[in-house]
Amino acid sequence: MCGIVAYLGNKQAYPILLEGLKRLEYRGYDSAGVALMNGELSIMKKQGKVADLEKHVSSLGHDLNHTMGMAHTRWATHGIPNDINAHPHSSGDGNLAIIHNGIIENYAPIKKALVDRGHIFSSDTDTEVLAHFIQEIKEKENLSLEEAVRRALNKVIGAYAIVVIDKDEPNKIVGARMSSPLVLGIGDDEYFLASDASPIIKYTNKVIYLEDGDVISITREGNYQIRSLDNTVQNPKVSELDLKIDEIEKGGYPHYMLKEIFQQPTTIAESMGGRINSHEGWAVLGGMKQNINRIAQSERIILTACGTSWHAALIAEYLFEDLARIPTEVEYASEFRYRNPIISQDDFIIALSQSGETADTLAAVKLAKEKGALIYGIVNAIGSSIARETDCGSYIHAGPEIGVASTKAFTSQVTVLALMALYLGKVRGILQESYFRQLLASLETVPSKVARILAKDDKIKYIAGEIRNASNALYLGRGYNFPVALEGALKLKEISYIHAEGYPGAEMKHGPIALIDMYMPVIVIATNKSAYEKIVSNIQEVKARKGVVIAIVTEGDEIIKDLADYIIEIPEIEEPFTPLLSVIPLQLLAYHIALMRGCNVDQPRNLAKSVTVE
Ligand code: G6P
């Protein structure tokens, strides 16, 4: 939530900051702003997207030749999205400016004390309070900017990544992080601070991922220093980014979401790369190898995640219990962390997160760690907080996912979870050699089968056109396809704003059937071999009430073809891996419907890609 970027160097800062904001816009997009320093501090901000800020700045006609500045794209927490609440915020004297991603939880008592001392605030934000607070400490105690920031942050409770600049020290940028990401980019005589590496990669691949409690000061003379909140000098390691600029561009597609859907044959193959070989008969994950005995003997697996990652975790419950026979539970991270869960040292905890920065998932990891469980991270973003906080783990290698609605990360997560289940099933002696090899061979066919489904895009687009005006939609699936029904419904509501619900097929009779009429599309995932007859009955029940049935079926299915209004065929595959195929038409369906309804598919209203606040 919220993207921040700052620059100090010899180049013109504004275009770098603006381009950086566009790359970070997936993190929030209700208002944006920029502060430029040239001895004088100039702040320009605007409600709306980064493009609105760009128009606003050019309409002002200001000189933009500054070589230092910072910028912010906002996802509102405290205060509605408007020009005043947009960042940067400044101190009472207007000398100091700050941008912030996170929430200052104790801002109210700090604000009250400041108001009592005569401070006047213009916005409703917690961030403006921090600006006044830092400035007051700095002035009262005659401190350097970094020292004032450090002292202020020692009194602050909450999550933050901040960048602060100050007219009194016009050649210095100070940043700090606690539970929200901040990356330092080190170029030739230039420095960057940003929420992720995407604004930086064009200029340098040398980065330092700041740790919680780090306060960094960067000066134009070319040095930077990082101290912890307790004032100890830190010596972090400089990492090399393994990211290419074309990975963060649309590559000829009209939207990131469509690009990411169509990348899936490749991204799923990348997730499997070097981890499976059906000819030699093995599936192994490096992250599990060193602890495999401990993991294989776990009494219970608990998966924790949010959003689409939680749906991937639900599929893992089926995979781990079916293929490895280990009792498995799935928890929303936000519930898990607050409900005093029973966690023992014999539990194996898996945290799933595309971004690796989701606040609740990160907090769940920290909680499980305190209780002594072994924690595994399944993460996409390299070097992210969850990747660093977990004991061991696997990257899913899906590459940057920029569309707010997750697609390729989901299929890569499920691929890695399937590999884990196969590995565990083999080590625990649950899977017979011949069945094990059959499953391996089947999993290896997923990329080419996904490509075959993608080739049906025109048909899916046609069906989307037929149901685009619906107000509600129901998604049904059984067994492995129940979580896919949830995911299909989530995709539709996220980007098209059609109310949609996912249900296990049998549960339809316990409520949703009351909603079915001729205006209600019911998307049924009917590829299962087990419970096939039951899902056919569900379809008949929908048709008896005049519902419109769109069925995802296995190629060659003749029975459902005669019952459903529309069918989308997907190739046959071993049942545990059907979610990897059955979700693809649902992603495309949501995409086309959203587009036909004039929605912004990459930046749906009110959402953000990375939920770094509670
Ligand atoms: C947000 C995103 C979703 C994502 C969820 C969890 O809601 O819009 O696409 O599934 O966060 O994010 P994570 O990065 O932890 O997978």
Side-chain angles (χ1 to χ4, degrees):
M1 321 227 105
C2 302
I4 64 183
V5 54
Y7 176 79
L8 174 58
N10 300 318
K11 299 193 180 90
Q12 191 190 359
Y14 178 68
I16 294 172
L17 296 174
L18 198 71
E19 192 188 11
L21 279 191
K22 286 181 182 164
R23 298 221 183 276
L24 292 170
E25 206 169 13
Y26 72 90
R27 302 178 65 88
Y29 32 82
D30 59 45
S31 49
V34 60
L36 299 168
M37 180 74 86
N38 208 357
E40 286 307 305
L41 177 62
S42 155
I43 296 180
M44 294 161 276
K45 47 194 197 171
K46 198 75 198 149
Q47 181 184 348
K49 304 249 155 125
V50 174
D52 297 304
L53 173 72
E54 193 175 2
K55 268 188 231 142
H56 173 65
V57 170
S58 59
S59 74
L60 294 173
H62 289 173
D63 159 40
L64 298 171
N65 283 322
H66 316 66
T67 52
M68 168 175 150
M70 62 186 190
H72 184 272
T73 178
R74 180 171 186 243
W75 186 92
T77 58
H78 294 60
I80 58 164
N82 61 20
D83 293 354
I84 291 172
N85 288 332
H87 297 213
H89 289 283
S90 49
S91 54
D93 60 6
N95 278 0
L96 178 151
I98 182 170
I99 52 175
H100 169 215
N101 165 30
I103 291 180
I104 305 302
E105 287 173 11
N106 61 338
Y107 84 101
I110 299 175
K111 184 171 185 176
K112 183 170 180 314
L114 289 167
V115 169
D116 290 347
R117 292 197 289 272
H119 287 254
I120 297 166
F121 292 92
S122 51
S123 80
D124 306 316
T125 64
D126 50 342
T127 307
E128 190 187 9
V129 175
L130 197 51
H132 282 240
F133 192 41
I134 294 169
Q135 184 265 335
E136 188 186 81
I137 292 175
K138 181 172 182 281
E139 202 175 276
K140 233 190 222 163
E141 302 181 36
N142 198 19
L143 301 172
S144 67
L145 181 60
E146 61 272 30
E147 183 56 13
V149 168
R150 192 186 68 78
R151 293 208 194 174
L153 293 179
N154 268 300
K155 303 214 160 70
V156 154
I157 301 166
Y160 49 79
I162 56 168
V163 181
V164 192
I165 57 178
D166 182 356
K167 237 161 86 174
D168 294 340
E169 298 174 72
N171 291 307
K172 183 189 279 179
I173 285 182
V174 173
R177 81 155 266 175
M178 180 67 75
S179 302
S180 294
L182 195 61
V183 187
L184 168 71
I186 306 164
D188 291 336
D189 296 327
E190 60 184 359
Y191 294 92
F192 305 79
L193 281 172
S195 299
D196 71 28
S198 61
I200 298 173
I201 186 63
K202 190 168 162 187
Y203 306 96
T204 177
N205 65 352
K206 285 202 206 92
V207 295
I208 291 174
Y209 294 99
L210 296 193
E211 300 286 344
D212 278 355
D214 282 354
V215 178
I216 181 167
S217 65
I218 308 162
T219 65
R220 199 177 276 288
E221 289 73 50
N223 48 50
Y224 62 88
Q225 189 175 59
I226 302 174
R227 286 175 182 267
S228 60
L229 281 178
D230 67 7
N231 212 13
T232 316
V233 175
Q234 308 292 298
N235 291 307
K237 122 172 178 293
V238 177
S239 314
E240 243 177 57
L241 279 177
D242 182 22
L243 178 70
K244 295 186 186 59
I245 196 86
D246 59 351
E247 288 182 63
I248 52 173
E249 288 182 340
K250 286 191 193 137
Y253 286 90
H255 301 99
Y256 282 111
M257 185 181 176
L258 193 64
K259 174 188 172 190
E260 287 156 8
I261 291 173
F262 272 83
Q263 276 184 310
Q264 288 176 107
T266 311
T267 50
I268 293 171
E270 292 283 321
S271 307
M272 284 194 257
R275 293 168 168 175
I276 182 171
N277 189 321
S278 63
H279 297 298
E280 293 170 14
W282 54 261
V284 174
L285 283 157
M288 290 173 79
K289 219 171 167 180
Q290 76 224 39
N291 294 302
I292 190 61
N293 292 333
R294 159 75 186 78
I295 297 170
Q297 283 158 22
S298 301
E299 287 190 352
R300 189 171 58 148
I301 297 176
I302 303 173
L303 294 114
T304 186
C306 303
T308 289
S309 297
W310 184 77
H311 294 156
L314 283 181
I315 294 170
E317 183 177 5
Y318 289 81
L319 287 165
F320 289 144
E321 296 204 340
D322 190 12
L323 305 181
R325 307 301 296 154
I326 303 178
T328 304
E329 289 170 23
V330 182
E331 300 261 9
Y332 281 117
S334 55
E335 290 297 313
F336 183 67
R337 61 180 288 201
Y338 284 121
R339 69 167 181 78
N340 194 13
I342 299 167
I343 307 169
S344 89
Q345 299 196 346
D346 298 324
D347 288 331
F348 178 48
I349 313 280
I350 302 175
L352 280 130
S353 176
Q354 186 286 126
S355 63
E357 300 294 347
T358 300
D360 283 320
T361 311
L362 183 56
V365 166
K366 289 181 179 164
L367 174 82
K369 212 169 180 181
E370 277 166 26
K371 309 239 177 195
L374 182 67
I375 306 163
Y376 202 85
I378 299 185
V379 172
N380 192 30
I382 314 275
S384 55
S385 301
I386 293 171
R388 286 180 291 147
E389 196 66 37
T390 41
D391 298 313
C392 43
S394 300
Y395 283 117
I396 61 171
H397 298 303
E401 188 181 65
I402 295 167
V404 166
S406 182
T407 52
K408 64 174 181 173
F410 174 78
T411 46
S412 285
Q413 287 169 335
V414 176
T415 303
V416 169
L417 290 163
L419 289 167
M420 287 180 89
L422 288 168
Y423 187 15
L424 281 174
K426 186 74 201 329
V427 172
R428 283 168 58 84
I430 306 292
L431 299 172
Q432 296 305 313
E433 186 64 23
S434 60
Y435 182 45
F436 177 65
R437 282 184 181 249
Q438 189 181 319
L439 288 171
L440 295 182
S442 177
L443 189 57
E444 282 178 336
T445 65
V446 170
S448 62
K449 289 179 177 169
V450 168
R452 269 163 60 192
I453 302 169
L454 293 170
K456 296 177 198 271
D457 187 34
D458 282 348
K459 178 169 187 191
I460 297 168
K461 189 172 172 184
Y462 170 77
I463 299 171
E466 295 291 291
I467 60 169
R468 59 189 278 194
N469 293 321
S471 311
N472 299 290
L474 183 62
Y475 286 71
L476 300 178
R478 281 177 177 260
Y480 278 103
N481 280 319
F482 160 52
V484 178
L486 295 180
E487 175 59 9
L490 178 64
K491 285 290 85 80
L492 189 69
K493 72 185 138 201
E494 275 181 313
I495 60 170
S496 76
Y497 318 138
I498 294 175
H499 168 239
E501 295 196 46
Y503 263 87
E507 280 295 305
M508 179 181 71
K509 291 204 251 324
H510 298 285
I513 199 163
L515 301 173
I516 295 173
D517 62 16
M518 61 195 288
Y519 305 110
M520 175 80 145
V522 182
I523 296 93
V524 186
I525 307 145
T527 57
N528 308 47
K529 288 193 192 99
S530 54
Y532 178 78
E533 290 76 18
K534 312 247 180 260
I535 207 107
V536 170
S537 302
N538 292 146
I539 293 175
Q540 297 203 330
E541 287 150 8
V542 174
K543 284 314 303 168
R545 284 149 189 91
K546 300 196 168 59
V548 182
V549 172
I550 296 116
I552 314 295
V553 298
T554 308
E555 276 169 358
D557 186 315
E558 293 299 330
I559 298 171
I560 296 177
K561 202 178 192 176
D562 292 338
L563 292 174
D565 297 87
Y566 308 97
I567 59 156
I568 302 166
E569 291 184 310
I570 64 171
E572 185 156 11
I573 192 139
E574 287 291 337
E575 191 151 346
F577 310 135
T578 41
L580 289 166
L581 304 187
S582 57
V583 76
I584 308 290
L586 306 188
Q587 297 170 343
L588 284 170
L589 200 61
Y591 170 80
H592 288 301
I593 293 173
L595 213 58
M596 288 169 187
R597 290 167 70 96
C599 302
N600 185 335
V601 290
D602 280 339
Q603 294 172 351
R605 70 182 178 211
N606 302 340
L607 297 180
K609 181 83 187 145
S610 177
V611 180
T612 55
V613 296
E614 287 187 51

